[in-house]
Amino acid sequence: QKLLGIASLSNTELDVMVKNKPKIPIITIHQAKGSEFDYVFMAGLQEKVFPSSISLKNDNLDEESRLFYVGITRAKKKLFLSSVVGENYHNPCRFIRAIPEGDIEKEEI
């Protein structure tokens, strides 16, 4: 129940929470609109997750592309993008693959 309360915070409530208590907020990209953070981590950036399989099936990638842009432009200092790579996982997100190689520092674990 507490997690649902945090997930439903408005941007103003989120700003107050982050400033008053040094915590790491886990929020949706929708909630990040209009906010900036020193460090942003975007996880789960695999095809069929982001963009979603429904968006891919319906060939409706415009909104997903806009959301990705919102996410990557929230970081003031550093942005971390992650995807799972392996034989049982989907390909990395097409939006990551569209970023020029020179603009990405890759680290595979």
Side-chain angles (χ1 to χ4, degrees):
Q1 187 176 23
K2 195 172 191 176
L3 289 177
L4 291 177
I6 291 172
S8 66
L9 291 175
S10 69
N11 283 350
T12 304
E13 292 170 318
L14 178 63
D15 290 342
V16 170
M17 182 184 81
V18 171
K19 288 177 185 172
N20 292 338
K21 299 175 187 173
K23 293 184 178 181
I24 299 172
I26 298 174
I27 60 173
T28 66
I29 293 174
H30 287 56
Q31 290 173 306
K33 288 181 182 177
S35 298
E36 288 185 319
F37 304 92
D38 287 341
Y39 301 94
V40 171
F41 294 81
M42 292 176 63
L45 297 176
Q46 292 90 239
E47 290 290 300
K48 299 185 180 179
V49 175
F50 196 96
S52 71
S53 57
I54 294 170
S55 295
L56 290 168
K57 181 180 177 183
N58 296 332
D59 197 30
N60 184 17
L61 298 174
D62 290 343
E63 179 63 14
E64 303 269 328
S65 177
R66 281 190 288 277
L67 285 173
F68 184 77
Y69 179 79
V70 166
I72 66 173
T73 57
R74 300 304 92 196
K76 292 192 283 187
K77 292 183 180 178
K78 200 153 190 176
L79 171 67
F80 297 86
L81 305 174
S82 71
S83 65
V84 177
V85 180
E87 65 182 69
N88 295 323
Y89 299 99
H90 305 294
N91 295 326
C93 168
R94 67 188 59 217
F95 304 128
I96 291 176
R97 295 191 316 259
I99 298 171
E101 285 286 324
D103 294 337
I104 295 180
E105 239 180 80
K106 289 185 180 181
E107 184 175 323
E108 293 188 26
I109 300 174

